[in-house]
Every structure is written in C-alpha cells, then in structure tokens.
Amino acid sequence: MEFQEDLVPKYWYNIIPDLPKPLPPPRDPPDSEFSRIELLKRIMPKEVLRQQFTVERFVSIPEKVREAYINIGRPTPLLRARRLEEMLRTPARIYFKFEGATPTGSHKINTAIPQAYFSMEEGVNHLVTETGAGQWGTAVALASRMYGLESSIFMVRVSYEQKPQRRTIMQLYGAKVYSSPTSLTEYGKKLTSQNPDHPGSLGIAMSEAIEYAMTNGYKYLVGSVLDVVVLHQSVIGLETINQLRNLDEEPDVLIGCVGGGSNFGGFVFPFIGAQKGTKYIAVGSFEVPKFSRGTYNYDFPDSAGLLPLIKMITLGKDYVPPPIYSGGLRYHGAAPSLSMLIKEGIVKWREYNEREIFEAAQTFLQAQGIVPAPESSHAIKAVIDEAREARVKNEKKVIVFNLSGHGLLDLPNYESMMKRMS
Amino acid sequence: MLVSYLTLGYPNREQFLTLLKGLVDAGSDVLEIGPPPKYAKYDGPVIRRSFKQVSSQGYDMWALLREARDAVSVPIVILTYLEEWIPTLEDFLIKLKDIGINGVLFPDLLIDFIDEYEEYVEAVRTHGLKSVIFTSPSVPDPLIQRASKLSDMFLYYGVRPTTGIAIPITVESLITRVRTLVENKLVVGFGLSDVEDMRRALKAGADGVAIGTAYIEEIERGGVKSAIALARKFRGVLDGS
Ligand SMILES: Cc1ncc(COP(=O)(O)O)c(C=O)c1O
C-alpha cells in the first residue's frame, strides 16, 4: 500500500540539462568595478548558491527537508474540479494542484524551507528578505521559525498599510516586519529624505533587504526567478505526476500563472522533462505585459541593480507596474529557463486583464468553494478558455493547473474589485 | 593535460614572454592566450584587472602574438569572444593562421551564436585552424554530446559562471554529469583555481585542467616566477604526485 507521504519526491528536478539551448549564464555588467556575482557569495546561503550553479538533472532533497515538507502537509492535494466542468459543460477533465493548502497559503514555502534549512546548517542565525503582497514574506517568516532563526522582512509600504493581516501573520511567526523604505539602510534613508511619504516598491524593498543582509552579515533569501528557486518548486510538479499516475490520467494541457516564474516552472517543468503533456500555458497579467511587450535581454533582477544580469523576458528593471490587485504578478521579468522555453515556442503564453481575472475567480469559487489567490486566478482564466474550446471541439482532454495560493488574505482586493465591477 | 591561460601582454611585454616560456618549461601542454576584449562577458574581476593593466600599456596585439608564437613550440589557442570579431572574422582567422597560431576558443559561441555555431566551427577549420568548443553546465546534454564530437583537440568545460570567483560548486557532480556524454578529451576550467578543485576534477574523470586566474593572482602576489612555480605544482598534481 502506498502512503500519502510516498508521493513526495526524494529529488528535485532541474530542467537546464533538458532545455533546447544553453541557458545564458548570469553576468556582471561590462564596466563595473564591483562584481555582483561575488556579491551573491556574500549574501546567499552557500548551499543555495551551490545548487544554483551545480547543474544536475536530479538533486537529492535532504531527508530533513522532505520531513518538513510532509510536516506542512505535503503532498498538497490534487483535486478534480468536477463542478467547474459541469458549469462549463465541457467534456474536458479538469484537475488542480492546490498549493493554497500549505500553512502559509501558497507555494512559496516550498523554497523557503530548504533555504532556511541550509542557512541553519551553515550556522546563519538571521534571514532577510523583501515582500510585496506578503506571500513570500510569510513563507520566510514561518521557515525561519521552523529552524529557530530570526527573520527581518522588508514589506513594501503600501502593502504594509493595506495588508495588515499579512503583517500580523508574519509577526505571529516571530518575524520583524519593516515598512520599506525604512531608515535601516542607506538606500532607504536616501529615499525617505527625498520623500517622507514614499510608497515603496518591490525593487526598493529588495535592495533594502540585500543591503541590510550585507551590512549585518545576515543571509538573503530569494523568492522567485533564480533557477535554484524553480528547482525547489519542482516538488509541485513531481508530486502531481505521481498523483496523476495513481488516477491513471495522462495530462494534455498544463497551466500556471507567472510572476517571476517559480510556481509555473515548479509545476510544469517536471512534465516537460518527463515528456508528458502536449500544451503548456504560462499566464501573465495584461496590465504587466511582459510576454507581449517585453524583450528577451540581459537585465537586472532587482531595480537597484545589485544582483548580476540575467537573460530573461523583461519589461526593464525600471518598469513601474500599475497597482493591479494581483500583487505577485507585478514583477518586470521571468525566470531565464521559462523565458527561453517561451522564446522557443515550447511554452505558450496568455495575458488577461483584471476584469477577466475577477470573473474567472468568481466562477471558480462558486463552483469549487475555494477563494483563489488573484495571481492563481490568471491560470483559472486560461483553464476556462481551454475547457470551452474543448467543448466546441468536443475533446475529452485532461487539463491540469496549479492553484498557487488561496485568496483569503486578499479579500480587501476582492472587495475593491467588486466595487469597481458593479 | 595542462592548459595554461595567459592574458596577452600581462603583466608587461617582457615578463609576458618570460611567463610564456616558463609555463611551457613547467609542463603546459597547450597555451591559451587572451587579448583584452572590448567586453569581458564571462571574465571575473581578476582577469578583468589584467585586461585593464594591459590595455593601459597599449601594445600591437599582432606583433606580440607573433613573438609569443616564435618563443614556444606547444600549441597556442586564442581565447576571445566571437562577438568581437564577427565583422572581420575572415581577416582575423587568416592573420592567426599566418603567424602560426593553432586554434581558437570562443567562450560565447554556444551561448550567443547557438543557431549558427556549426557554421563558425566550419569557418575556423576552413582557415586551417583548430576549433576548440567551450561548454558549461548550463549547456543541455544533447548539445554537450554534439559539441564534444565537433570540438578539436579537446572539449573545454567551464565549471563556474565566471572565472576567478570561487562560487561554491560540486565539481565532481558537474563532471560526472557530462563525462558519459563526452568521448573527446575533457578539459575542465573556468574558475578552477586550487589544487583541491583540480584533484576532484581529475578524479571525476577530467582529462586535463585549464588554469588562468590562479596564475594572475600569483603574479599579483609574487611575480611571474611564482606563477611558473605554481604551474609546476599543477603539473605535479596531474602527474599524480
Ligand atoms: C499565490 C501566488 N502565486 C503566484 C505568484 C507569482 O510568483 P511566481 O511566478 O514566482 O510563482 C505569487 C507571488 O507572490 C503568489 O503569491
């Protein structure tokens, strides 16, 4: 008999050896005296950096990390959205992987755990990161607590003020949460002296977190975009492959939303590697049009340009996203591996606007009862479109998507959307 | 196989020639010479410093290369970015052949010219030069296999994302992954700088190592003589002592 826990993989999957072309490496800008690659060495936990640059197809998940995954409720459920199928009168079968079932409510904990674990093993006692919508900060706060580490979270000021509940959760876990820009860093001080009411941005919070980690000898945790984060997130897709096998289902279409690309890559790449599925759809926001308007170029992952250049689909590091209610999709770029797969046409993309997303979210929650995170609702919209197409063509295809998080802490955003829609 | 890298003209013209001969006497099988590029895409801070120093002295690249060629008899491979020579590639290759250089190694060939790399390999060969192909851990398996077949002399495998920054990596795992894909000789380099790294690489199946940054750092510390002594040490490790 198979136990639930046996569905949790013992290895993470790295797609780099299986990409169609070489992945362009991170670079230092041409005329810079200071090396950003060297900086990574100072701010990232050593093992995280080692995993980033030791490219292997399968990377063993430390037993302690696997136990922690099981302890937070992995494997997360793979559910069939029967009511949604009925509502859409589609012959397609729709499944979703529910990452909202983790304690922090999203997939972000899947990389926070190993990064915090490795930090603890290395004798680090304090972790630092930034957070926009709050999902990533919450995950780092919990993972730090799990390993007895301190954590400092630089939260974008507007979110800090608009999302007090996220802040409260982080504080309950024991994190120090700062409204960024702060006066704790030179960068923050400079900005607040120019404008005491500075609203902040993810890029600013990121730069503050990096500076704070560097000056205090703490370590900085990365929440998306880098290959190593996508590697850790592969636990999502690997579990889903096992779960589908137990259901005797062969997937046709795989769908996920994209902010920096970590839940999409983590969910879909293992399927690409195993040559399962025939169509992969990455969904972004119409208001942050990186797929339709972005260029494929070397660019900085952070606004201050403290990190090395990486080649990705990007709207430019200085791009200022509009204040859409899907905070997690406002990032200017996308993971290098995902960017390449999109450029090569192996992964297709879609972009949907806020209204469409809101309607899709409502359809889904009325059908299945789960309030989806606004980010994840982008995937739902693409699922609905695929299911409708299946109805028109009368195709019994199997659609599987990643519900990267629940939206119970995004209710204020839902409320403001309801007002705008009425 | 010991492949030794030198920045053309570093630390200065005279000492560069002393270093060149010294590295060969110390047992280098192949020399890689790098003229300072316009954009040092994958070079780390140490090699960038050497470029800067050389550029500020301003030599005639071709005259110095000719002197280098005449000074030693081991194969010389020019390490340079293809991007820089594309507008004058014919001319560049003809000149190299003319002064007796043996081959070229373009670290950006598979990254920035992936769709036409085989044509460039062909172009190099048509001019009577060897084409050594540069690969790295971010090159997918099928391409490592293909490049290994196409590469002349050996396949170069750069294990770190940039030279001279000791990013923590597991050299063994990186080599184990590609060893079964590579029938050619496998030379490991790019940021491989200490003897321990080197031993691990050889144990995991590398046929040789390429050393560069370590020499430059040694020159900065103790001059050309101590860099040559370092090469002797590396030779010793290769020979199993
Ligand atoms: C629930 C949820 N889904 C998706 C994302 C987008 O990030 P990524 O593309 O890295 O998965 C976020 C980011 O905050 C998120 O909170």
Side-chain angles (χ1 to χ4, degrees):
Chain A
M1 180 187 143
E2 196 179 50
F3 291 97
Q4 275 295 304
E5 323 183 342
D6 296 338
L7 298 171
V8 179
K10 295 194 165 73
Y11 293 88
W12 287 300
Y13 169 71
N14 191 337
I15 199 168
I16 296 175
D18 294 325
L19 286 173
K21 289 182 177 178
L23 194 66
R27 279 183 192 170
D28 274 318
D31 306 312
S32 171
E33 286 286 304
F34 119 91
S35 167
R36 287 154 176 83
I37 294 176
E38 173 95 61
L39 173 76
L40 292 183
K41 253 182 78 181
R42 281 189 281 152
I43 60 171
M44 283 170 70
K46 195 168 163 218
E47 178 63 13
V48 178
L49 199 59
R50 192 194 69 78
Q51 291 186 339
Q52 166 74 23
F53 289 112
T54 304
V55 178
E56 297 172 272
R57 187 172 280 105
F58 294 104
V59 177
S60 171
I61 302 177
E63 194 44 47
K64 292 249 170 61
V65 170
R66 196 167 167 272
E67 279 168 18
Y69 278 165
I70 291 164
N71 202 39
I72 59 155
R74 301 210 72 89
T76 52
L78 178 74
L79 302 171
R80 180 153 172 200
R82 276 185 201 275
R83 287 255 302 143
L84 182 66
E85 291 169 16
E86 284 163 20
M87 268 173 77
L88 299 171
R89 286 180 283 124
T90 177
R93 293 194 294 284
I94 303 174
Y95 292 90
F96 62 99
K97 179 73 168 162
F98 187 36
E99 288 298 297
T102 61
T104 59
S106 83
H107 65 290
K108 303 273 176 182
I109 192 72
N110 300 333
T111 185
I113 286 176
Q115 292 194 52
Y117 170 77
F118 294 136
S119 303
M120 182 267 297
E121 289 272 280
E122 287 161 28
V124 173
N125 54 27
H126 197 130
L127 301 178
V128 188
T129 200
E130 75 287 332
T131 197
Q135 300 268 25
W136 171 237
T138 310
V140 172
L142 174 59
S144 301
R145 177 51 48 213
M146 287 168 69
Y147 297 107
L149 313 177
E150 306 279 320
S151 61
S152 294
I153 316 291
F154 289 79
M155 189 169 187
V156 178
R157 184 164 179 174
V158 281
S159 311
Y160 186 89
E161 281 160 10
Q162 286 168 11
K163 294 201 147 187
Q165 294 163 328
R166 273 280 167 207
R167 193 205 316 162
T168 306
I169 298 181
M170 289 187 263
Q171 286 165 339
L172 282 171
Y173 285 140
K176 293 221 167 54
V177 186
Y178 301 108
S179 169
S180 163
T182 69
S183 53
L184 293 168
T185 66
E186 291 309 312
Y187 192 56
K189 275 186 218 161
K190 200 177 103 194
L191 295 171
T192 42
S193 74
Q194 290 161 359
N195 175 8
D197 299 318
H198 200 299
S201 76
L202 196 61
I204 293 169
M206 208 177 209
S207 307
E208 280 209 285
I210 292 169
E211 185 189 325
Y212 190 70
M214 212 163 56
T215 47
N216 292 291
Y218 303 152
K219 292 292 170 183
Y220 170 75
L221 299 198
V222 185
S224 188
V225 190
L226 292 194
D227 307 316
V228 63
V229 177
V230 180
L231 173 80
H232 296 157
Q233 292 295 356
S234 68
V235 66
I236 307 172
L238 293 165
E239 278 179 13
T240 312
I241 288 176
N242 292 338
Q243 290 166 316
L244 285 170
R245 192 195 48 226
N246 286 355
L247 293 168
D248 248 333
E249 285 284 23
E250 275 298 322
D252 296 301
V253 188
L254 293 136
I255 301 176
C257 69
V258 177
S262 75
N263 90 84
F264 181 88
F267 174 62
V268 173
F269 290 179
F271 286 92
I272 297 179
Q275 296 177 335
K276 288 176 179 292
T278 51
K279 192 172 181 185
Y280 313 104
I281 306 175
V283 191
S285 149
F286 175 82
E287 290 83 2
V288 184
K290 65 184 109 181
F291 298 137
S292 54
R293 301 276 180 78
T295 58
Y296 183 47
N297 266 321
Y298 269 98
D299 192 15
F300 290 107
D302 61 311
S303 320
L306 294 173
L307 298 175
L309 294 162
I310 53 176
K311 192 165 182 185
M312 60 178 174
I313 291 177
T314 174
L315 289 162
K317 76 172 173 58
D318 298 321
Y319 172 78
V320 181
I324 53 167
Y325 85 124
S326 278
L329 303 195
R330 297 174 73 224
Y331 186 67
H332 65 274
S337 46
L338 173 58
S339 296
M340 172 190 286
L341 288 165
I342 286 178
K343 276 287 141 197
E344 292 295 309
I346 293 167
V347 170
K348 311 283 181 235
W349 58 266
R350 305 270 187 278
E351 286 172 351
Y352 298 112
N353 69 39
E354 273 197 314
R355 283 178 174 268
E356 296 172 292
I357 292 315
F358 179 78
E359 279 167 11
Q362 211 171 7
T363 305
F364 180 78
L365 68 88
Q366 289 181 358
Q368 300 299 135
I370 295 171
V371 180
E375 293 84 3
S376 320
S377 306
H378 288 71
I380 295 171
K381 171 61 181 156
V383 169
I384 293 175
D385 285 359
E386 285 293 309
R388 289 205 170 114
E389 190 190 296
R391 185 176 73 190
V392 174
K393 295 187 180 162
N394 195 23
E395 284 175 338
K396 287 197 169 62
K397 58 186 174 186
V398 176
I399 303 170
V400 191
F401 76 99
N402 190 35
L403 191 67
S404 55
H406 70 65
L408 291 175
L409 289 159
D410 300 292
L411 293 181
N413 305 16
Y414 273 101
E415 217 177 285
S416 76
M417 269 314 279
M418 270 161 70
K419 282 194 192 120
R420 275 197 273 161
M421 300 283 287
S422 61
Chain B
M1 189 189 306
L2 178 61
V3 179
S4 290
Y5 167 86
L6 307 86
T7 291
L8 182 70
Y10 180 82
N12 59 40
R13 187 196 154 92
E14 225 164 77
Q15 288 187 39
F16 163 73
L17 291 168
T18 310
L19 177 68
L20 184 89
K21 285 180 248 177
L23 290 178
V24 172
D25 290 343
S28 304
D29 301 294
V30 177
L31 295 181
E32 268 174 18
I33 299 184
K38 289 200 188 83
Y39 176 5
K41 283 191 277 199
Y42 307 128
D43 298 287
V46 179
I47 291 188
R48 284 184 182 201
R49 271 205 300 277
S50 77
F51 290 152
K52 217 170 157 185
Q53 180 168 335
V54 172
S55 303
S56 69
Q57 303 175 19
Y59 319 103
D60 175 353
M61 163 181 165
W62 294 102
L64 192 53
L65 265 186
R66 196 180 288 272
E67 274 188 80
R69 172 68 290 174
D70 294 344
V72 292
S73 55
V74 299
I76 295 180
V77 171
I78 299 300
L79 181 86
T80 187
Y81 296 105
L82 174 60
E83 181 177 32
E84 201 163 317
W85 299 106
I86 287 216
T88 55
L89 192 62
E90 279 280 328
D91 187 45
F92 176 64
L93 297 174
I94 291 170
K95 273 184 172 155
L96 288 180
K97 177 67 190 168
D98 187 46
I99 60 174
I101 296 296
N102 304 77
V104 292
L105 195 169
F106 300 126
D108 55 348
L109 181 69
L110 291 190
I111 307 289
D112 298 323
F113 302 93
I114 180 67
D115 294 323
E116 59 262 316
Y117 79 97
E118 295 201 17
E119 291 156 38
Y120 286 113
V121 169
E122 217 20 67
V124 170
R125 287 188 179 156
T126 320
H127 287 86
L129 293 162
K130 306 273 187 206
S131 177
V132 183
I133 300 183
F134 179 95
T135 58
S136 64
S138 60
V139 176
D141 288 5
L143 187 59
I144 287 188
Q145 215 160 5
R146 173 89 190 123
S148 143
K149 292 205 179 83
L150 275 178
S151 190
D152 295 317
M153 297 168 81
F154 53 84
L155 184 76
Y156 192 113
Y157 185 55
V159 287
R160 287 195 167 86
T162 184
T163 58
I165 297 176
I167 291 285
I169 50 168
T170 306
V171 172
E172 295 94 320
S173 319
L174 288 173
I175 294 173
T176 309
R177 179 188 138 211
V178 299
R179 186 62 268 190
T180 53
L181 306 170
V182 178
E183 284 164 27
N184 206 331
K185 286 205 175 66
L186 181 66
V187 169
V188 174
F190 234 61
L192 202 67
S193 52
D194 66 28
V195 170
E196 275 321 299
D197 255 6
M198 188 169 161
R199 284 214 170 89
R200 280 193 283 265
L202 295 170
K203 218 171 145 202
D207 299 300
V209 292
I211 307 289
T213 300
Y215 294 141
I216 295 176
E217 282 176 327
E218 201 56 39
I219 293 169
E220 291 178 338
R221 268 194 300 268
V224 161
K225 269 216 183 94
S226 55
I228 295 166
L230 188 63
R232 269 202 201 92
K233 194 164 112 193
F234 289 139
R235 183 74 247 177
V237 175
L238 274 167
D239 295 340
S241 60

